[in-house]
């Protein structure tokens, strides 16, 4: 297996005070032997927060989720499986990563996930809150989307208005 094959991601945003404990938890996951052929790695992909916290204090001037403004680090963990992995092994890997994301990664996070690198199967189906910050923020953005894109021509998996698409199959997005 290698980093260039099929993969699945779990991500979270973290404040500096929780970083050390999250790194310990992710190190344990990365070094754990699995029963299926998989390469695992985690990466800190962003340094967030800073002055951005002061630019939209109320969180209603932009589409950025308020939790993103109050975080310092965005962490993404990836499992890449070998091309030879069976469908059962791939499904088990995704289920294991979803469970690990909920049980281990999520408690360290601020509640926001970077929507380009998340897990796709949120067990609580709370993607609107995790990506966009709150239902108030999501609904505000949805009103704007309906104003400028009333036909929902511009969409993607879990984007604003995605659940109103004619096709909700993430494989075609």
């Amino acid at each position: 297996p290698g980093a260039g094959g099929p993969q699945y991601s779990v991500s979270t945003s973290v404040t500096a005070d929780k970083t050390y404990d999250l790194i310990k938890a992710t190190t344990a996951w990365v070094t754990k032997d699995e029963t299926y052929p998989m390469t695992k790695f985690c990466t800190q992909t962003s340094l967030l927060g800073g002055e951005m916290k002061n630019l939209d204090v109320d969180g209603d001037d932009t589409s950025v989720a308020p939790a993103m403004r109050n975080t310092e680090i965005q962490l993404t963990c990836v499992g890449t499986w070998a091309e030879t992995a069976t469908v059962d092994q791939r499904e088990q890997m995704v289920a294991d990563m979803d469970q690990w994301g909920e049980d281990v990664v999520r408690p360290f996070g601020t509640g926001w996930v970077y929507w380009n690198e998340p897990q796709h199967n949120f067990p609580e189906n709370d993607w609107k809150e995790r990506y966009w910050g709150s239902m108030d923020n999501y609904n505000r953005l949805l009103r704007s989307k309906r104003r400028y894109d009333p036909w929902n021509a511009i969409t993607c998996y879990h984007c604003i208005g995605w659940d109103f698409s004619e096709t909700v199959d993430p494989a075609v997005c």
Side-chain angles (χ1 to χ4, degrees), residues 87-112:
V87 171
D88 288 344
Q89 288 173 321
R90 293 173 189 206
E91 288 175 352
Q92 185 62 51
M93 185 200 82
V94 169
D96 288 351
M97 285 189 70
D98 282 338
Q99 192 65 50
W100 178 77
E102 292 300 301
D103 295 347
V104 178
V105 176
R106 188 174 185 190
F108 289 105
T110 63
W112 173 77

Side-chain angles (χ1 to χ4, degrees), residues 155-170:
T155 191
C156 66
Y157 188 63
H158 285 168
C159 286
I160 301 294
W162 169 79
D163 47 346
F164 299 107
S165 300
E166 288 182 29
T167 301
V168 292
D169 180 1

Side-chain angles (χ1 to χ4, degrees), residues 52 56 59-69 112 131-133 137 140-141:
M52 183 173 67
D56 182 11
D60 59 2
D61 291 334
T62 68
S63 64
V64 175
M68 180 184 175
R69 298 180 187 292
W112 173 77
Y131 292 145
W132 307 107
N137 196 44
R140 180 180 60 83
L141 295 168

